[in-house]
């Protein structure tokens, strides 16, 4: 499969041959599901915490005597039946992360990228060096490349001008070729790669 390479003016600058093998059919669908589920689970802070009967403040003294008051018997202010009492089976701090094998992650990324390539959602530019950090300059690049909706920009490394120029654009996010994951690939409407970044991702996907 070949994809067109464009410059920042939106004009064709040749073609790029996709070196990794595209995933066809239903293969890899479960790997994508498992990887995305694990990624989203890992984003949970897991800091929710409630106090049980033994942790809420209060004394062990009975609120009133057992018999003779006409009220229901009660043994503790910390009872879950009372306002301010302990919580039964409430959440405690925990780790929500799930383990996914390296091969599963690689297959899921290859599957996700294959589907985006076949759908025509991947745009490759020869370079993405901006002359300045002005937002309007980057907006012009996005417009000339006809990128509508949400866009993920993938570069080989952190570029100061690119970071500053894109941070005020709500629908644009940045990442690098080394940190690109399956969730990143699936989420935006369009993927904008620099040629070198796409080649680095290819190298990741062709490793055994």
């Amino acid at each position: 499969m070949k994809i067109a390479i464009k410059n920042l003016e939106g004009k064709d600058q040749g073609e790029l041959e996709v070196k990794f093998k595209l995933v066809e059919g239903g293969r890899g669908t479960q790997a994508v599901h498992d990887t995305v589920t694990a990624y989203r689970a890992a984003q949970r802070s897991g800091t929710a915490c409630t106090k049980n009967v033994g942790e809420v403040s209060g004394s062990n003294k009975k609120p009133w005597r057992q018999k003779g008051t006409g009220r229901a018997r009660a043994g503790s202010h910390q009872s879950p039946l009372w306002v301010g009492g302990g919580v039964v089976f409430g959440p405690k701090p925990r780790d929500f992360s799930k383990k996914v094998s390296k091969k599963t992650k690689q297959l899921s990324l290859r599957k996700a990228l294959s589907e985006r390539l076949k759908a025509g959602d991947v745009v490759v530019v020869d370079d993405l060096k901006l002359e300045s950090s002005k937002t309007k300059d980057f907006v012009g690049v996005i417009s000339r490349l006809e990128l509508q909706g949400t866009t993920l920009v993938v570069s080989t490394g952190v570029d100061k001008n690119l970071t500053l120029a894109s941070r005020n654009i709500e629908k644009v996010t940045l990442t690098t070729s080394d940190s690109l994951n399956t969730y990143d690939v699936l989420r935006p409407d369009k993927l904008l790669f620099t040629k070198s970044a796409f080649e680095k991702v290819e190298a990741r996907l062709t490793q055994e």
Side-chain angles (χ1 to χ4, degrees), residues 1 3-11 13-18 20 22 108-129 138 141-142 145 147 150-157 162 172-205:
M1 182 178 182
I3 52 178
I5 302 176
K6 297 184 178 182
N7 60 17
L8 296 185
E9 299 299 322
K11 297 179 181 178
Q13 297 291 307
E15 290 184 325
L16 179 67
E17 182 74 35
V18 178
F20 67 90
L22 299 183
S108 68
L109 181 57
R110 194 152 58 91
K111 171 68 173 178
L113 197 52
S114 297
E115 294 299 321
R116 300 311 300 267
L117 284 167
K118 287 185 282 188
D121 296 330
V122 177
V123 178
V124 179
V125 292
D126 53 356
D127 198 5
L128 200 51
K129 292 290 183 182
F138 187 64
V141 172
I142 295 294
L145 292 173
L147 297 175
T150 55
T151 302
L152 175 69
V153 180
V154 187
S155 58
T156 52
L162 183 59
V172 173
T173 53
L174 303 181
T175 190
T176 62
S177 53
D178 291 331
S179 60
L180 182 71
N181 58 59
T182 305
Y183 187 71
D184 290 337
V185 172
L186 295 175
R187 194 175 185 186
D189 296 320
K190 294 289 183 180
L191 300 168
L192 176 61
F193 286 86
T194 61
K195 182 175 179 291
S196 56
F198 190 84
E199 290 172 344
K200 286 190 71 173
V201 173
E202 282 186 318
R204 284 176 55 188
L205 298 178

Side-chain angles (χ1 to χ4, degrees), residues 4 10 20 31 35 40-41 43 47 51 58 73 75 81 106 108 113 117 120 128 131 148 161 169 174 181 194 196:
F20 67 90
T35 304
R40 297 191 66 183
Q43 304 307 301
T47 56
K51 292 183 178 181
R73 56 193 174 186
L81 303 178
Q106 188 186 56
S108 68
L113 197 52
L117 284 167
L128 200 51
E131 296 294 330
Q148 298 179 349
N161 281 349
I169 306 177
L174 303 181
N181 58 59
T194 61
S196 56

